């Protein structure tokens, strides 16, 4: 019986230690540069691919960890009070990118000026921060 009580106390202390570390850990959500490969297909009115363009692009991304916690609660239905935060965009901007590797349906690279490149619009983060998980009402 003493062994079981000691085990419960050690478990409770471990939970408390983890909780304290989470409470005092700092958020490190930040905007970082990254490299991605983009492929965009163009279709005709019948839904068939006319050309496919691609390229490697440097873009901003959000990365990092945010403070979150869970604690026992007698008030909530699940028995736990959860405060979860995730790293995501604070503000987005439109950015136009030119893809320079365009190919026809036979896989041949297009050379004519009008079809050899494709301009596309992407949205990328300007700034990132910790948001409450599931909160999309910005």
């Amino acid at each position: 019986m003493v062994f079981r009580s000691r085990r419960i106390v050690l478990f409770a202390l471990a939970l408390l230690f983890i909780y304290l570390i989470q409470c005092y850990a700092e958020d490190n959500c930040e905007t970082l540069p990254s490299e991605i490969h983009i492929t965009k297909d163009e279709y005709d009115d019948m839904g068939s691919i006319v050309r496919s363009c691609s390229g490697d692009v440097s873009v901003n991304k959000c990365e990092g960890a945010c403070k979150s916690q869970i604690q026992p609660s007698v008030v909530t239905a699940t028995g736990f009070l959860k405060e979860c935060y995730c790293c995501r965009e604070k503000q987005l901007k439109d950015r136009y990118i030119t893809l320079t590797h365009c190919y026809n349906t036979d896989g041949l690279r297009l050379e004519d000026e009008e079809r050899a490149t494709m301009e596309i619009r992407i949205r990328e983060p300007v700034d990132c921060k910790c948001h409450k998980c599931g909160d999309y009402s910005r």
Side-chain angles (χ1 to χ4, degrees):
M1 185 69 155
V2 173
F3 178 74
R4 187 173 183 177
S5 298
R6 184 176 294 165
R7 198 179 209 181
I8 291 171
V9 169
L10 289 174
F11 179 74
L13 287 173
L15 284 178
L16 180 61
F17 181 72
I18 291 169
Y19 175 75
L20 289 174
I21 288 174
Q22 288 177 342
C23 286
Y24 292 106
E26 291 188 28
D27 295 337
N28 67 353
C29 178
E30 58 187 330
T31 309
L32 296 174
S34 69
E35 187 84 14
I36 62 170
H37 183 79
I38 297 177
T39 301
K40 177 77 172 164
D41 296 329
E42 180 181 17
Y43 298 89
D44 63 14
D45 293 338
M46 301 297 288
S48 299
I49 293 179
V50 176
R51 67 179 171 150
S52 183
C53 299
S54 64
D56 293 322
V57 182
S58 295
V59 295
N60 290 331
K61 68 177 180 177
C62 294
E63 187 173 301
C66 302
K67 289 187 284 186
S68 295
Q69 68 178 8
I70 183 170
Q71 62 187 16
S73 171
V74 293
V75 179
T76 60
T78 62
F80 294 97
L81 176 63
K82 298 177 185 179
E83 290 184 18
C84 301
Y85 292 87
C86 55
C87 179
R88 51 182 208 141
E89 72 281 354
K90 179 179 175 183
Q91 180 183 0
L92 293 170
K93 71 174 179 180
D94 286 340
R95 182 169 160 204
Y96 292 89
I97 295 178
T98 302
L99 302 177
T100 57
H101 299 90
C102 295
Y103 300 89
N104 66 15
T105 54
D106 295 327
L108 299 174
R109 188 159 185 175
L110 299 170
E111 300 294 334
D112 63 286
E113 274 185 46
E114 186 178 315
R115 315 246 331 126
T117 63
M118 178 189 291
E119 186 175 75
I120 63 167
R121 179 181 68 97
I122 64 167
R123 295 178 50 107
E124 74 174 321
V126 175
D127 195 18
C128 303
K129 76 172 206 170
C130 293
H131 291 273
K132 192 160 183 73
C133 296
D135 180 15
Y136 299 103
S137 62
R138 286 178 291 117

